[in-house]
Amino acid sequence: MVKWSELKRASDIVLAVWPHYRPLFERWFMQELIDKGELAPIWRERMVPGDNDTVFADHYPDREAAIAAANALNPTLRQALSGRAMDPVVKRSLELKIDKALQAKQRLQDEEALMLAEALRRHTDDERPDAAALKLAPDSERYRQDLAEQLAEMPYLRVAKVGRSNNRWTHALLYLGPDGVWSKPYHAGEKAALTAERAKIANGFGLSASTHWGKAKAKIRQILLPRANQLLQLASVQRMLAEALARGERVLVSNGIVFWYEPDGGVGWQVKETSSTRESEGATIWKEGTILSTNHGRLVVLPYIKEGGEHVRGHTKNGPNDGRALPRHRDHYVEIPFSLYDGDLMIGLFGELPYE
């Protein structure tokens, strides 16, 4: 057994923490961002000392508890960085890298939470299979009740992790075959458990859980956009947008969805998607930046800060297969600020939409 006093990591400088879900253990594990000097900071699993010089992984039973713990610790870590004696330019660069790392983690979790909520909602009226009617390979018979409980919540699943327990060796994956029979159990390690977790989202949109995850999510974003347009019909959203407009806000951003106010031609509020350049994909969003729109593109690239500190202004464009974006007349170029809204806002708004 490793002792805390024997761990070299105790002297490492922690810059920030953020939890991630490990489906094999069905728990949220804290990661910590470590200062590597002249190299880029790195994420690693966070370990904490226990009684009698023992070592434990820092983990939590649910997302709310894990994020609350991260939000409590991060200001203290930021304050420690502020107090360090170091070159101001280097310190500012490190602060940007921390912002970038935390934004990337949070945006990813918010987006996937939204996608899961919509996957569940799309199958609200699906028939739930009766446990006794499930067709199972003989070796999977012992998982019948476990599988039925999951299908009662997610009737669309085609891959399921069963045998829930704190003992990882009891986990197995079952696959739904084209003949409607669930397969024999396959041992589930960390990677297989992740596939089953992604199935909860992907299968809900008719996609395979083994599809490249980035491509699967890009497809889901396209599927979500018409639904996001329906938000404009909600009285609560109309009220929120009217209040934003009264404050002078004309671009609101949340979870890859952009509410965009177009004053010319009586267009009013419309929905666009966020996009990114290759450079901006992992960059820090520049909250004080503005967006200069010289065309009527459907995608919005938010202003961002390169790691070297250069500020890049936001802009609008079309996607790769959309053709050239309709240009604006130079007199109608618009440079406007934007507001970032919490990811939970979009999840909540989607929840208000009546199911078709």
Side-chain angles (χ1 to χ4, degrees):
M1 171 100 46
V2 178
K3 295 181 179 179
W4 178 258
S5 58
E6 296 170 349
L7 277 184
K8 293 180 181 177
R9 64 169 55 206
S11 59
D12 289 342
I13 297 174
V14 180
L15 301 170
V17 296
W18 195 256
H20 72 122
Y21 186 63
R22 293 176 65 183
L24 186 64
F25 304 101
E26 298 177 359
R27 294 186 76 80
W28 289 80
F29 285 74
M30 197 69 81
Q31 290 184 319
E32 54 189 15
L33 188 66
I34 300 301
D35 188 357
K36 300 297 285 184
E38 293 182 4
L39 300 176
I42 60 165
W43 287 105
R44 72 178 181 197
E45 297 296 316
R46 179 171 171 81
M47 311 300 289
V48 291
D51 295 335
N52 302 319
D53 207 22
T54 52
V55 180
F56 290 96
D58 189 12
H59 60 85
Y60 302 83
D62 55 62
R63 182 173 184 251
E64 290 71 26
I67 289 178
N71 286 338
L73 181 54
N74 278 331
T76 305
L77 296 173
R78 191 62 171 240
Q79 200 170 6
L81 173 61
S82 298
R84 279 168 64 183
M86 57 192 297
D87 183 305
V89 175
V90 175
K91 184 184 289 188
R92 179 59 185 146
S93 175
L94 192 54
E95 287 171 345
L96 286 172
K97 288 174 181 175
I98 295 168
D99 289 344
K100 166 185 166 180
L102 287 173
Q103 277 185 8
K105 292 277 189 187
Q106 188 159 10
R107 276 153 54 189
L108 187 70
Q109 284 180 12
D110 286 346
E111 178 182 69
E112 292 184 3
L114 172 64
M115 290 177 173
L116 176 60
E118 176 61 10
L120 291 167
R121 201 157 21 245
R122 283 173 170 256
H123 296 272
T124 300
D125 296 333
D126 288 10
E127 186 179 348
R128 268 55 180 169
D130 180 53
L134 290 173
K135 298 176 183 176
L136 296 164
D139 289 350
S140 297
E141 185 58 46
R142 64 185 182 276
Y143 299 119
R144 180 178 293 276
Q145 190 57 38
D146 188 346
L147 179 62
E149 288 174 10
Q150 293 187 56
L151 293 175
E153 183 183 5
M154 302 177 192
Y156 54 82
L157 280 183
R158 301 200 297 267
V159 184
K161 177 171 69 69
V162 291
R164 291 176 239 173
S165 162
N166 289 329
N167 180 351
R168 60 180 290 175
W169 302 113
T170 66
H171 285 297
L173 248 60
L174 305 183
Y175 296 86
L176 180 62
D179 56 356
V181 178
W182 287 88
S183 71
K184 69 178 185 180
Y186 292 89
H187 169 69
E190 194 106 30
K191 188 176 179 182
L194 183 59
T195 298
E197 190 66 21
R198 288 174 172 173
K200 295 176 181 178
I201 295 173
N203 290 174
F205 293 92
L207 303 173
S208 167
S210 57
T211 301
H212 180 280
W213 192 229
K215 291 179 180 177
K217 291 206 295 183
K219 175 66 176 171
I220 293 170
R221 285 187 208 106
Q222 292 175 353
I223 294 170
L224 287 179
L225 197 60
R227 190 161 178 80
N229 268 305
Q230 292 177 284
L231 291 172
L232 297 176
Q233 310 306 316
L234 286 178
S236 59
V237 175
Q238 290 172 0
R239 186 170 62 250
M240 177 188 80
L241 296 176
E243 290 170 355
L245 197 59
R247 292 193 300 270
E249 297 175 357
R250 285 160 54 188
V251 180
L252 310 181
V253 182
S254 181
N255 272 104
I257 304 295
V258 182
F259 294 106
W260 178 280
Y261 187 75
E262 193 72 48
D264 294 334
V267 175
W269 287 100
Q270 55 183 308
V271 172
K272 293 179 182 281
E273 293 174 76
T274 53
S275 180
S276 57
T277 65
R278 284 187 177 178
E279 284 182 318
S280 73
E281 278 175 355
T284 308
I285 298 298
W286 174 25
K287 293 180 184 174
E288 292 80 31
T290 57
I291 298 164
L292 177 68
S293 179
T294 62
N295 56 51
H296 293 277
R298 69 176 179 84
L299 302 177
V300 180
V301 179
L302 298 178
Y304 60 96
I305 306 175
K306 295 182 179 180
E307 285 197 358
E310 181 187 346
H311 291 58
V312 180
R313 190 158 56 181
H315 54 279
T316 50
K317 66 174 188 176
N318 267 355
N321 302 310
D322 296 338
R324 187 165 174 264
L326 185 68
R328 297 179 188 272
H329 187 278
R330 182 169 289 276
D331 293 343
H332 296 150
Y333 284 4
V334 286
E335 183 171 2
I336 43 182
F338 72 102
S339 294
L340 280 174
Y341 276 51
D342 191 295
D344 287 343
L345 169 77
M346 193 57 65
I347 296 166
L349 289 177
F350 265 62
E352 284 190 48
L353 284 180
Y355 190 80
E356 299 88 6

